[in-house]
Structure formats: C-alpha cells, structure tokens
Amino acid sequence: LRVLPEPAGRFAMVQCYVQREHGRSGLRYDLYLELPPYHALYCMSARKVKAARTSLFRIATNKSSFDVRAPGYLGKLKASDMGGLSWTLYGPGVSPRKADRGGGRNARKSSASAASKAESNDKDDDDDEGDELRAETLTVLFEKSILGSGGPTQLTAALPAESDEGHRHVVCPRSKEETLGARLEAGRRTGLVTMTNKLPTWSDQLQSYTLEYNGRATEPSVKNIQLVESQNSPDLKFQLGKVGADRFNVDYKRPYSALQAFAIAVAVFDDKLFCSPAPPLLRHALQLRDKLFHRSS
C-alpha cells in the first residue's frame, strides 16, 4: 500500500495493464503489475461513483470496498467540469471547504446512520474523511475537441516536482487559484513537472502518422498515448496501449507512481462531452488530409 503512491525508478519502465470490468455495482478498472514471464500482481481498482455531479472515481486496493474510511482507500480522481476536460487526483483527507467548516473526524460526532451510509454515499462527491487537508498529487488537462480528431487524445499532465533530496513536494491548496489545475492553465508551472503527448511521425509504409510502442499496443485506438517532458527527448515517461476490447497496457517510470499512472489511464478512458473521438467519416477525412499534407510538404 505504501509503495503505490511513491515514484517509480528512473530507468526501466514499470509494465502494468488495466482490465475494464462491467458489473452490477458499476464500471470498474483494475490495475495489475506484470511479473515475468506470465504472472500478474493485483495492485488497485477504481470504481466510478454513479450519482456524482461530475465524473468521479474512488481508488482503493480492494475491488469490493471503496469506503473512504477503509485502510485500503488511496484517494479519488475527479473531473472538475461536466465536459471532463480537467481532472485532479486527490489523496485521503478533507477538502478545504469541509476543513473550513470543521469537517474533520475529530471536529464532529458521526451518527450510526451516517456511518452505515459511508459505502453508499454516491450522491455527494464531497465525501472526504480524516483530520488533515487532502493533497493534490496530479492534474490532467485534455484538449477541447467537440468533433474529435484523427489522432490520439491530446492531454497535458502535471504533478508536483521533487526536492533535491528526492522527496515529492506536498500540495494542499486552500484556494482555487493555488490548485494544480489552475496553476497549469495559468502557465504558473514553477514547482510542477509537466508532460504532453509525444507527437507521431509519418510512416511511408502505412501512409499515416504512427507511434512506436514496441509491442505494447496491438490495436488502434485514440486512447493510445505516450507522454514525454519534451518532444526532443526520446525518454518516455508514460504510455497507454490497447491490447484487447477491455484491456490496455500501462507503462510508466519516475516521476510517476503507480497511483498516478493508473489515474491518467482512468481519466483517458472516461467518456468526455467535449473531447470525443471523431466519427468514422470525419476520421477518414482527417487521415486523407494528413496524407495530402505530407505529400505536399
């Protein structure tokens, strides 16, 4: 449990996969660590809250329990708008709003009826518990595209930078202006590590723009993405590749942790009102445009 929020190693990519499950309790994603040659270790799950105001996932190390008071609760991934363009990963703890009104565990007495609703309290996405202010550990901003595009989903991911000693800076904003998402949108990136999509290159053989996944993506998908700090850098920090109808490979290295890499994948998976894939005819037209543009250039 302690390892999941901690940054991975700097060199080798950690190889995992996400399995999408459709059950009676709703949509759930499970993350497994691949162990050579043919084994896998279960790590954590994310379940979508059905009645939240915006898309919201609770993340825990137990597939059947996402109680915010449980020891296996890791945090939540929440979209800040109905369109699903901006996402934040929160650790355990209370929100600034609840902290300001004395919402900590020691600041009030929970009734027996309130405790019995801890697991099913899906109507309120401000369900934080604890005595400390929650930390923001990741934000993901998607590029708005109502009609979609012919290529991969476009996004920018940002997380707190590490100190010289290798410790992650803790960000617990009390105002909206100091949140990771607001800082990223305003261009205030000091103290943040930001990643963007690796741009595809043109393939004369396939007559399309492609990315090299070295077997980690075997099916085409707009959700196949790779993240880098700079387009000039060959060092991939994260990649997501489709290998089945409900299975995607997830590979990552430092500065990402398993929890952050999983959160990026879940945010990409979720349907977005203002970031939808292009319809087939439009996608074909965009691919034709790419071919013509490449030939003319």
Side-chain angles (χ1 to χ4, degrees):
L1 183 63
R2 296 179 182 177
V3 175
L4 299 178
E6 295 299 320
R10 297 185 183 277
F11 303 106
M13 293 281 272
V14 179
Q15 295 186 333
C16 305
Y17 69 87
V18 171
Q19 185 71 38
R20 180 167 46 197
E21 300 289 348
H22 303 271
R24 288 180 296 178
S25 60
L27 180 63
R28 193 187 77 230
Y29 297 101
D30 301 330
L31 180 74
Y32 294 85
L33 173 66
E34 294 185 2
L35 300 175
Y38 306 111
H39 300 284
L41 175 66
Y42 169 75
C43 296
M44 67 188 105
S45 297
R47 190 179 73 185
K48 191 168 188 178
V49 176
K50 294 180 181 179
R53 293 184 291 271
T54 63
S55 288
L56 171 66
F57 290 85
R58 292 177 185 159
I59 304 175
T61 57
N62 189 324
K63 295 180 183 180
S64 58
S65 176
F66 294 84
D67 188 341
V68 298
R69 298 181 178 92
Y73 179 71
L74 296 173
K76 67 183 181 182
L77 176 67
K78 179 183 176 184
S80 62
D81 54 75
M82 297 291 291
L85 296 178
S86 176
W87 293 74
T88 302
L89 175 63
Y90 301 98
V94 297
S95 66
R97 180 173 56 181
K98 184 171 284 190
D100 290 341
R101 64 172 184 253
R105 188 178 293 136
N106 295 332
R108 72 183 190 281
K109 294 181 180 180
S110 300
S111 65
S113 60
S116 66
K117 295 178 181 178
E119 177 66 20
S120 60
N121 185 23
D122 286 351
K123 293 184 178 181
D124 183 11
D125 61 359
D126 188 19
D127 56 1
D128 313 274
E129 292 290 338
D131 300 320
E132 298 181 355
L133 190 64
R134 70 188 183 191
E136 294 185 359
T137 58
L138 175 78
T139 190
V140 182
L141 299 181
F142 290 88
E143 182 179 304
K144 187 175 182 180
S145 179
I146 296 178
L147 290 178
S149 65
T153 300
Q154 300 297 309
L155 65 89
T156 300
L159 63 157
E162 297 180 32
S163 65
D164 294 337
E165 293 76 25
H167 301 296
R168 180 93 70 196
H169 292 298
V170 180
V171 178
C172 301
R174 281 191 170 272
S175 66
K176 183 177 180 180
E177 292 72 21
E178 293 307 314
T179 62
L180 294 178
R183 290 166 60 184
L184 181 60
E185 289 189 78
R188 294 185 287 115
R189 303 191 178 191
T190 302
L192 299 180
V193 178
T194 60
M195 310 266 181
T196 56
N197 293 71
K198 181 177 177 62
L199 298 177
T201 57
W202 180 261
S203 170
D204 290 326
Q205 181 180 0
L206 299 175
Q207 288 294 292
S208 65
Y209 287 99
T210 62
L211 289 170
E212 179 55 60
Y213 279 85
N214 295 313
R216 297 296 289 170
T218 58
E219 296 187 15
S221 173
V222 295
K223 294 179 173 62
N224 290 348
I225 61 171
Q226 295 177 332
L227 298 181
V228 290
E229 289 189 67
S230 168
Q231 293 299 323
N232 297 326
S233 172
D235 187 20
L236 289 179
K237 301 297 186 180
F238 172 92
Q239 68 178 4
L240 181 65
K242 186 175 183 180
V243 292
D246 291 303
R247 179 165 166 170
F248 280 76
N249 285 332
V250 178
D251 304 333
Y252 68 95
K253 65 168 62 171
R254 204 178 190 103
Y256 291 118
S257 66
L259 179 58
Q260 290 167 326
F262 184 43
I264 294 174
V266 172
V268 171
F269 294 148
D270 195 60
D271 293 332
K272 300 166 187 65
L273 183 61
F274 297 139
C275 186
S276 57
L281 288 177
L282 177 57
R283 194 179 308 127
H284 178 73
L286 292 171
Q287 291 172 345
L288 180 60
R289 178 205 61 182
D290 290 340
K291 292 180 181 179
L292 294 175
F293 174 79
H294 179 75
R295 289 172 181 172
S296 63
S297 58

